[in-house]
Amino acid sequence: MPNCSDTAMIPSSVLLDGGDEVECCILRFPDLDLKDPFPLTAKSNLKAESDTSVRKKYAFAKKKAFALFVKAKEVPATASCPPAMCRAGLGWKCCRQTFKDLTGIHIHVAAQHSSDVWQQTGLILKQLATEANTSSNPASADEADRLSGPTCNSQELSDRLPDTSHISFDELTSGVGEVLLYYCYCEVKDPGRLCAWQKSLCQHLNLTGKVRIASEGINGTVGGSKVATSLYIEAMLSHPLFKTILCREDFKSSAGGAHCFPDLRVGVFEEIVPLGINPNKVSYKETGIHLSPEEFHKEVEKHLSQAPQAESDTILLDCRNFYESKIGHFQGCLAPDIRKFSYFPSYIDEHLELFKNKRVLMYCTGGIRCERGSAYLRTKAACREVYQLKGGIHKYLEEFPDGFYRGKLFVFDERYTISSNEDVIAECRYCGTLWDQYKLCSSLHCRQLVLTCPSCRAKGFTACCPVCQEKGLKLASNPSGWIVKEACECTDRRQRVPVTHM
């Protein structure tokens, strides 16, 4: 079986919800005589050399990987797929579809999950290489085990999954749903193994979402039925790595479900939130002082009562991106006009004078960006004190739905926003009418979110800027069949470190 610690490392620059880039995975077999390492990349076809043994090994690994993936999708027969119709009383469920026969699930996996099968193939090939090296040199067996770390087979993974035998498939996948948001900073010695367990756990419970795993911890947002999310929380709290660190209050929930995400994406990264700095250089262990929502509320109230605020000794700092703070933020905050969290360090460096001898109150969506953000700010030794909102805006709104946070809360799924009050603080891009419902830019080459009200959309104003609108119309009238994603021109004009701020 493959060693789960061999899961490919995805660079922290690649977001979990964007792209399929992975680093090169180098394989070497003792019976290969190649001038160069044999590379596996996510977009190559793994072309074997003429050596017959290599082709046989690859064919075996690919078949085994495919079979394992299909096996993981097995579900008991249901009303929609009764035992009489399903092979051996089993069906298969994948991507919110139910398959009654092997042919159907095989076609689906081949068409939609080739990258998953490829990754598993690479893991199996690496395990074969390790076994071959060990068998040819028995004395190296102990060393190979030490380097490869603990293995995790299907039986071990299934032993750690919650028992769902008493729950019907319909109960597990239907009914009232929710989205969970959580993170946990801790030392993860084997990120690959944790990644394999997380993927099996989410698939077992029919959850969708995104989970980032690194040596510094785990960051996840998953959606499904409340029955499934409850079982997910129980599994996390009972896991040896988290049971003394995580508590039930660390999971933020909101109305939603599996439909809020297009699929499930679990990966190993360098950072669980992309600050763009090696965790060993800026560690979560150097974070600011955590304030409960009640404590933070009192501090904000005190800050707002000081007039004028420009002369206050306190800065209320929003650590999120500009498109998040645009539709909702704390009153009296400083909201950097940045497009990515990885730009946050540059913003701090360029405006360090602003923070000298100040008390800083930081906040973000769920708290995770403040962990590394406050740690980075503290390394500059400029602030008098650095505090952060524990649990983020999410937890604050649970206690103070009509508090000092006004507008919507941006979330990174297909809902885009959740709200606790009726305030609308953003405007339509084109006419200035109060509006805060994001839509994707209509130009297929663009990846930006745009605020355009129904009236303007009816007039055809559906892009993030006039230049993008014109470019989109040209592409629509003369389709080439190949769309290259690129930064919009109005986005290119946005400075990485802006000159002015809210």
Side-chain angles (χ1 to χ4, degrees), residues 415-452:
R415 296 172 299 172
Y416 291 132
T417 65
I418 56 178
S419 62
S420 65
N421 56 68
E422 299 300 320
D423 286 5
V424 178
I425 66 171
E427 299 177 348
C428 172
R429 166 72 175 80
Y430 290 93
C431 70
T433 298
L434 289 177
W435 187 254
D436 61 6
Q437 301 299 310
Y438 276 119
K439 295 286 186 182
L440 283 174
C441 177
S442 58
S443 184
L444 295 179
H445 76 280
C446 183
R447 62 180 77 231
Q448 302 302 315
L449 292 169
V450 57
L451 292 173
T452 174

Short mmCIF file of all heavy atoms in Angstrom, two decimals, residues 415-452:
data_model
loop_
_atom_site.label_atom_id
_atom_site.label_comp_id
_atom_site.label_asym_id
_atom_site.label_seq_id
_atom_site.Cartn_x
_atom_site.Cartn_y
_atom_site.Cartn_z
N ARG A 415 -21.48 30.79 -1.49
CA ARG A 415 -22.44 31.72 -0.90
C ARG A 415 -21.93 33.15 -1.02
O ARG A 415 -22.70 34.09 -1.08
CB ARG A 415 -22.67 31.38 0.58
CG ARG A 415 -23.30 30.03 0.82
CD ARG A 415 -23.31 29.70 2.31
NE ARG A 415 -21.95 29.65 2.86
CZ ARG A 415 -21.66 29.55 4.15
NH1 ARG A 415 -22.64 29.51 5.04
NH2 ARG A 415 -20.41 29.49 4.55
N TYR A 416 -20.62 33.32 -0.97
CA TYR A 416 -19.92 34.61 -0.99
C TYR A 416 -20.11 35.41 0.30
O TYR A 416 -19.15 36.00 0.80
CB TYR A 416 -20.32 35.48 -2.19
CG TYR A 416 -19.83 34.96 -3.51
CD1 TYR A 416 -20.68 34.86 -4.60
CD2 TYR A 416 -18.51 34.57 -3.69
CE1 TYR A 416 -20.24 34.37 -5.83
CE2 TYR A 416 -18.05 34.07 -4.90
CZ TYR A 416 -18.92 33.97 -5.97
OH TYR A 416 -18.47 33.48 -7.17
N THR A 417 -21.31 35.49 0.83
CA THR A 417 -21.54 36.28 2.04
C THR A 417 -22.50 35.59 2.99
O THR A 417 -23.33 34.78 2.58
CB THR A 417 -22.12 37.68 1.72
OG1 THR A 417 -23.42 37.52 1.14
CG2 THR A 417 -21.23 38.46 0.77
N ILE A 418 -22.37 35.94 4.28
CA ILE A 418 -23.37 35.61 5.27
C ILE A 418 -23.62 36.89 6.06
O ILE A 418 -22.76 37.78 6.11
CB ILE A 418 -22.93 34.46 6.22
CG1 ILE A 418 -21.60 34.78 6.89
CG2 ILE A 418 -22.82 33.16 5.46
CD1 ILE A 418 -21.13 33.70 7.87
N SER A 419 -24.78 37.01 6.65
CA SER A 419 -25.11 38.28 7.31
C SER A 419 -25.79 38.06 8.65
O SER A 419 -26.42 37.03 8.89
CB SER A 419 -26.03 39.12 6.41
OG SER A 419 -27.25 38.45 6.17
N SER A 420 -25.64 39.05 9.53
CA SER A 420 -26.31 39.02 10.82
C SER A 420 -27.12 40.29 11.03
O SER A 420 -27.88 40.40 11.98
CB SER A 420 -25.29 38.88 11.95
OG SER A 420 -24.45 40.02 12.00
N ASN A 421 -26.94 41.29 10.15
CA ASN A 421 -27.72 42.52 10.22
C ASN A 421 -28.13 42.93 8.82
O ASN A 421 -27.65 42.36 7.82
CB ASN A 421 -26.92 43.64 10.92
CG ASN A 421 -25.58 43.92 10.24
OD1 ASN A 421 -25.53 44.42 9.12
ND2 ASN A 421 -24.49 43.61 10.94
N GLU A 422 -28.97 43.91 8.71
CA GLU A 422 -29.52 44.31 7.42
C GLU A 422 -28.72 45.43 6.75
O GLU A 422 -29.10 45.91 5.69
CB GLU A 422 -30.98 44.76 7.59
CG GLU A 422 -31.90 43.67 8.14
CD GLU A 422 -31.95 42.46 7.23
OE1 GLU A 422 -31.98 42.64 5.99
OE2 GLU A 422 -31.94 41.33 7.75
N ASP A 423 -27.63 45.85 7.35
CA ASP A 423 -26.85 46.95 6.80
C ASP A 423 -26.24 46.60 5.45
O ASP A 423 -25.71 45.49 5.27
CB ASP A 423 -25.72 47.35 7.75
CG ASP A 423 -26.24 48.09 8.97
OD1 ASP A 423 -27.47 48.20 9.09
OD2 ASP A 423 -25.42 48.56 9.77
N VAL A 424 -26.30 47.51 4.52
CA VAL A 424 -25.61 47.41 3.23
C VAL A 424 -24.68 48.61 3.14
O VAL A 424 -25.15 49.75 3.09
CB VAL A 424 -26.60 47.40 2.05
CG1 VAL A 424 -25.84 47.34 0.73
CG2 VAL A 424 -27.56 46.22 2.16
N ILE A 425 -23.38 48.37 3.13
CA ILE A 425 -22.43 49.48 3.16
C ILE A 425 -21.65 49.63 1.86
O ILE A 425 -20.92 50.60 1.69
CB ILE A 425 -21.44 49.32 4.33
CG1 ILE A 425 -20.54 48.09 4.11
CG2 ILE A 425 -22.18 49.20 5.66
CD1 ILE A 425 -19.41 47.99 5.10
N ALA A 426 -21.81 48.68 0.93
CA ALA A 426 -21.09 48.75 -0.34
C ALA A 426 -22.00 49.33 -1.43
O ALA A 426 -23.21 49.47 -1.24
CB ALA A 426 -20.60 47.37 -0.74
N GLU A 427 -21.41 49.64 -2.59
CA GLU A 427 -22.15 50.26 -3.68
C GLU A 427 -21.96 49.51 -4.98
O GLU A 427 -20.94 48.84 -5.18
CB GLU A 427 -21.69 51.71 -3.87
CG GLU A 427 -21.91 52.60 -2.67
CD GLU A 427 -21.37 54.00 -2.91
OE1 GLU A 427 -20.63 54.20 -3.91
OE2 GLU A 427 -21.68 54.90 -2.11
N CYS A 428 -22.92 49.67 -5.86
CA CYS A 428 -22.83 49.13 -7.22
C CYS A 428 -21.64 49.76 -7.93
O CYS A 428 -21.42 50.98 -7.84
CB CYS A 428 -24.12 49.40 -7.99
SG CYS A 428 -24.04 48.98 -9.75
N ARG A 429 -20.89 48.97 -8.64
CA ARG A 429 -19.70 49.45 -9.35
C ARG A 429 -20.03 50.53 -10.38
O ARG A 429 -19.22 51.43 -10.64
CB ARG A 429 -19.04 48.25 -10.05
CG ARG A 429 -17.99 48.57 -11.11
CD ARG A 429 -16.73 49.08 -10.48
NE ARG A 429 -15.70 49.29 -11.47
CZ ARG A 429 -15.60 50.33 -12.29
NH1 ARG A 429 -16.54 51.28 -12.26
NH2 ARG A 429 -14.59 50.46 -13.13
N TYR A 430 -21.23 50.50 -10.93
CA TYR A 430 -21.56 51.37 -12.05
C TYR A 430 -22.44 52.57 -11.69
O TYR A 430 -22.22 53.68 -12.17
CB TYR A 430 -22.23 50.56 -13.16
CG TYR A 430 -21.25 49.63 -13.84
CD1 TYR A 430 -21.11 48.30 -13.42
CD2 TYR A 430 -20.45 50.08 -14.89
CE1 TYR A 430 -20.19 47.46 -14.03
CE2 TYR A 430 -19.54 49.24 -15.50
CZ TYR A 430 -19.41 47.93 -15.07
OH TYR A 430 -18.50 47.12 -15.66
N CYS A 431 -23.45 52.38 -10.84
CA CYS A 431 -24.38 53.48 -10.58
C CYS A 431 -24.31 54.03 -9.16
O CYS A 431 -24.91 55.07 -8.87
CB CYS A 431 -25.82 53.07 -10.90
SG CYS A 431 -26.51 51.85 -9.73
N GLY A 432 -23.61 53.35 -8.27
CA GLY A 432 -23.47 53.84 -6.91
C GLY A 432 -24.60 53.49 -5.97
O GLY A 432 -24.59 53.87 -4.81
N THR A 433 -25.58 52.73 -6.43
CA THR A 433 -26.68 52.28 -5.57
C THR A 433 -26.14 51.32 -4.51
O THR A 433 -25.22 50.54 -4.78
CB THR A 433 -27.75 51.55 -6.41
OG1 THR A 433 -28.28 52.45 -7.36
CG2 THR A 433 -28.87 51.01 -5.53
N LEU A 434 -26.69 51.39 -3.31
CA LEU A 434 -26.26 50.47 -2.26
C LEU A 434 -26.47 49.03 -2.73
O LEU A 434 -27.58 48.63 -3.08
CB LEU A 434 -27.03 50.73 -0.97
CG LEU A 434 -26.69 52.03 -0.23
CD1 LEU A 434 -27.59 52.20 0.99
CD2 LEU A 434 -25.22 52.04 0.19
N TRP A 435 -25.41 48.26 -2.71
CA TRP A 435 -25.48 46.87 -3.19
C TRP A 435 -24.26 46.11 -2.68
O TRP A 435 -23.13 46.61 -2.73
CB TRP A 435 -25.52 46.84 -4.72
CG TRP A 435 -25.75 45.47 -5.29
CD1 TRP A 435 -24.84 44.67 -5.92
CD2 TRP A 435 -26.98 44.74 -5.26
NE1 TRP A 435 -25.42 43.48 -6.27
CE2 TRP A 435 -26.73 43.50 -5.89
CE3 TRP A 435 -28.25 45.02 -4.77
CZ2 TRP A 435 -27.71 42.52 -6.03
CZ3 TRP A 435 -29.22 44.04 -4.91
CH2 TRP A 435 -28.96 42.83 -5.54
N ASP A 436 -24.46 44.87 -2.19
CA ASP A 436 -23.32 44.12 -1.65
C ASP A 436 -23.34 42.63 -2.03
O ASP A 436 -22.73 41.81 -1.35
CB ASP A 436 -23.26 44.27 -0.13
CG ASP A 436 -24.50 43.73 0.58
OD1 ASP A 436 -25.36 43.13 -0.09
OD2 ASP A 436 -24.60 43.93 1.80
N GLN A 437 -24.02 42.29 -3.12
CA GLN A 437 -24.07 40.90 -3.57
C GLN A 437 -23.08 40.68 -4.72
O GLN A 437 -23.29 41.16 -5.81
CB GLN A 437 -25.49 40.53 -4.02
CG GLN A 437 -26.54 40.71 -2.94
CD GLN A 437 -26.28 39.83 -1.74
OE1 GLN A 437 -26.06 38.62 -1.88
NE2 GLN A 437 -26.29 40.42 -0.55
N TYR A 438 -22.03 39.96 -4.43
CA TYR A 438 -20.99 39.73 -5.43
C TYR A 438 -21.43 38.73 -6.51
O TYR A 438 -22.16 37.77 -6.25
CB TYR A 438 -19.72 39.19 -4.78
CG TYR A 438 -18.80 40.25 -4.21
CD1 TYR A 438 -18.50 40.28 -2.86
CD2 TYR A 438 -18.22 41.20 -5.05
CE1 TYR A 438 -17.64 41.24 -2.34
CE2 TYR A 438 -17.36 42.16 -4.54
CZ TYR A 438 -17.08 42.17 -3.18
OH TYR A 438 -16.23 43.13 -2.68
N LYS A 439 -20.95 38.98 -7.72
CA LYS A 439 -21.06 38.03 -8.83
C LYS A 439 -19.69 37.97 -9.50
O LYS A 439 -18.92 38.92 -9.46
CB LYS A 439 -22.10 38.50 -9.86
CG LYS A 439 -23.53 38.55 -9.36
CD LYS A 439 -24.12 37.16 -9.23
CE LYS A 439 -25.60 37.23 -8.87
NZ LYS A 439 -26.19 35.88 -8.69
N LEU A 440 -19.41 36.84 -10.14
CA LEU A 440 -18.17 36.75 -10.90
C LEU A 440 -18.27 37.63 -12.14
O LEU A 440 -19.32 37.75 -12.75
CB LEU A 440 -17.90 35.31 -11.32
CG LEU A 440 -17.35 34.37 -10.24
CD1 LEU A 440 -17.28 32.95 -10.78
CD2 LEU A 440 -15.98 34.82 -9.77
N CYS A 441 -17.16 38.23 -12.50
CA CYS A 441 -17.10 39.04 -13.72
C CYS A 441 -17.55 38.19 -14.91
O CYS A 441 -17.18 37.02 -15.03
CB CYS A 441 -15.67 39.54 -13.93
SG CYS A 441 -15.43 40.47 -15.44
N SER A 442 -18.37 38.79 -15.78
CA SER A 442 -18.94 38.04 -16.90
C SER A 442 -17.91 37.72 -17.98
O SER A 442 -18.14 36.85 -18.82
CB SER A 442 -20.09 38.84 -17.52
OG SER A 442 -19.62 40.11 -17.96
N SER A 443 -16.78 38.40 -17.98
CA SER A 443 -15.74 38.13 -18.97
C SER A 443 -15.00 36.86 -18.57
O SER A 443 -14.43 36.78 -17.48
CB SER A 443 -14.76 39.31 -19.05
OG SER A 443 -13.82 39.10 -20.06
N LEU A 444 -15.00 35.87 -19.45
CA LEU A 444 -14.46 34.56 -19.10
C LEU A 444 -12.97 34.56 -18.80
O LEU A 444 -12.47 33.67 -18.13
CB LEU A 444 -14.75 33.57 -20.24
CG LEU A 444 -16.24 33.27 -20.49
CD1 LEU A 444 -16.39 32.30 -21.66
CD2 LEU A 444 -16.90 32.72 -19.25
N HIS A 445 -12.25 35.57 -19.31
CA HIS A 445 -10.81 35.60 -19.06
C HIS A 445 -10.48 36.13 -17.67
O HIS A 445 -9.35 36.03 -17.21
CB HIS A 445 -10.11 36.48 -20.10
CG HIS A 445 -10.29 37.95 -19.85
ND1 HIS A 445 -11.44 38.61 -20.22
CD2 HIS A 445 -9.49 38.86 -19.23
CE1 HIS A 445 -11.32 39.88 -19.86
NE2 HIS A 445 -10.17 40.06 -19.25
N CYS A 446 -11.49 36.72 -17.00
CA CYS A 446 -11.26 37.42 -15.73
C CYS A 446 -11.62 36.54 -14.54
O CYS A 446 -12.46 35.64 -14.65
CB CYS A 446 -12.07 38.72 -15.70
SG CYS A 446 -11.80 39.72 -14.23
N ARG A 447 -11.01 36.81 -13.40
CA ARG A 447 -11.28 36.03 -12.19
C ARG A 447 -11.77 36.90 -11.04
O ARG A 447 -11.76 36.49 -9.89
CB ARG A 447 -10.01 35.27 -11.77
CG ARG A 447 -8.86 36.17 -11.42
CD ARG A 447 -7.63 35.37 -11.02
NE ARG A 447 -6.95 34.82 -12.14
CZ ARG A 447 -6.60 33.54 -12.25
NH1 ARG A 447 -6.90 32.71 -11.30
NH2 ARG A 447 -5.96 33.10 -13.31
N GLN A 448 -12.19 38.14 -11.33
CA GLN A 448 -12.56 39.07 -10.28
C GLN A 448 -14.04 38.99 -9.90
O GLN A 448 -14.88 38.58 -10.69
CB GLN A 448 -12.24 40.50 -10.72
CG GLN A 448 -10.78 40.74 -11.07
CD GLN A 448 -9.86 40.39 -9.91
OE1 GLN A 448 -10.10 40.76 -8.78
NE2 GLN A 448 -8.79 39.68 -10.22
N LEU A 449 -14.33 39.44 -8.68
CA LEU A 449 -15.70 39.57 -8.20
C LEU A 449 -16.15 41.01 -8.45
O LEU A 449 -15.34 41.94 -8.36
CB LEU A 449 -15.78 39.27 -6.70
CG LEU A 449 -15.53 37.81 -6.30
CD1 LEU A 449 -15.37 37.70 -4.79
CD2 LEU A 449 -16.66 36.91 -6.78
N VAL A 450 -17.42 41.17 -8.77
CA VAL A 450 -17.92 42.50 -9.10
C VAL A 450 -19.24 42.77 -8.39
O VAL A 450 -20.06 41.86 -8.23
CB VAL A 450 -18.08 42.66 -10.63
CG1 VAL A 450 -19.00 41.60 -11.20
CG2 VAL A 450 -18.59 44.04 -11.00
N LEU A 451 -19.41 44.01 -7.95
CA LEU A 451 -20.66 44.46 -7.35
C LEU A 451 -21.42 45.24 -8.41
O LEU A 451 -21.07 46.38 -8.73
CB LEU A 451 -20.40 45.35 -6.13
CG LEU A 451 -19.78 44.67 -4.91
CD1 LEU A 451 -19.42 45.71 -3.84
CD2 LEU A 451 -20.72 43.62 -4.33
N THR A 452 -22.45 44.64 -8.99
CA THR A 452 -23.28 45.32 -9.97
C THR A 452 -24.73 44.98 -9.69
O THR A 452 -25.11 43.81 -9.60
CB THR A 452 -22.87 44.92 -11.41
OG1 THR A 452 -23.78 45.50 -12.34
CG2 THR A 452 -22.83 43.42 -11.60
#
